[in-house]
Amino acid sequence: MIFHDRVTVVYKIDGPKDPFNNPTKIDVTVPDVPAEVFSLDSDVSISSDLASVINRYRLIIHPMADIPAKNAVNELRFSWGPYQVTGNYSGLIADGAVERHVIRGRLHHYEVICKSVVG
C-alpha cells in the first residue's frame, strides 16, 4: 500500500499511580506517520444557541504508529492538514474503535473513522 499523507497520532495512556492512588496520564505523540485520508461526509447542525459543522474522515494508518487497544487509550486524536492538535478537543477525534487489519498473521494497517467539530 502506498501512503500519500502524513498524520500525527496523539493519545494518553494510564501511567503509574500517584501517592494518593490516582492514575496519572502519560501523553504519547507519534509524529509523521504515513497514512491515507479520505473525506466521508459533512453535516451542519444548527441549534438555537450555536451552529456546528461536523466533518468525517476515514484514515488508513501505517502500523508504525503502534496504537494500543481502545481500552488502553484515552483521547485518541490525529493531526492532519488544517486539523492540528493544539489542545483539548482539537485535531481529528477518533469516532469509534481503531480497526487492526491483519494479513497473513501480521498487522498490515489501522483504519479509523475520525471527525472534527467546528463551531
Side-chain angles (χ1 to χ4, degrees), residues 63-78:
M64 73 174 270
D66 193 26
I67 301 171
K70 183 178 182 195
N71 58 356
V73 172
N74 296 305
E75 302 176 25
L76 178 60
R77 296 176 292 154
F78 303 90

Side-chain angles (χ1 to χ4, degrees), residues 2-61:
I2 298 174
F3 297 98
H4 296 96
D5 296 309
R6 299 277 186 208
V7 298
T8 298
V9 182
V10 178
Y11 57 90
K12 295 179 187 246
I13 58 173
D14 291 335
K17 296 190 178 204
D18 66 12
F20 301 105
N21 206 26
N22 297 319
T24 58
K25 300 291 183 186
I26 298 173
D27 293 324
V28 178
T29 301
V30 184
D32 203 31
V33 178
E36 284 293 318
V37 181
F38 301 96
S39 176
L40 295 178
D41 61 15
S42 292
D43 186 30
V44 177
S45 174
I46 300 174
S47 63
S48 60
D49 56 345
L50 98 124
S52 61
V53 177
I54 300 171
N55 297 311
R56 293 177 25 144
Y57 295 89
R58 177 176 164 231
L59 274 62
I60 300 175
I61 304 166

Side-chain angles (χ1 to χ4, degrees), residues 69-116:
K70 183 178 182 195
N71 58 356
V73 172
N74 296 305
E75 302 176 25
L76 178 60
R77 296 176 292 154
F78 303 90
S79 287
W80 170 76
Y83 306 105
Q84 297 298 311
V85 176
T86 57
N88 292 335
Y89 309 108
S90 62
L92 293 171
I93 302 165
D95 192 19
V98 176
E99 298 176 9
R100 296 170 175 262
H101 289 259
V102 178
I103 296 177
R104 295 186 194 108
R106 296 181 65 158
L107 179 62
H108 187 261
H109 67 275
Y110 299 102
E111 287 190 31
V112 63
I113 304 296
C114 296
K115 66 180 177 181
S116 85

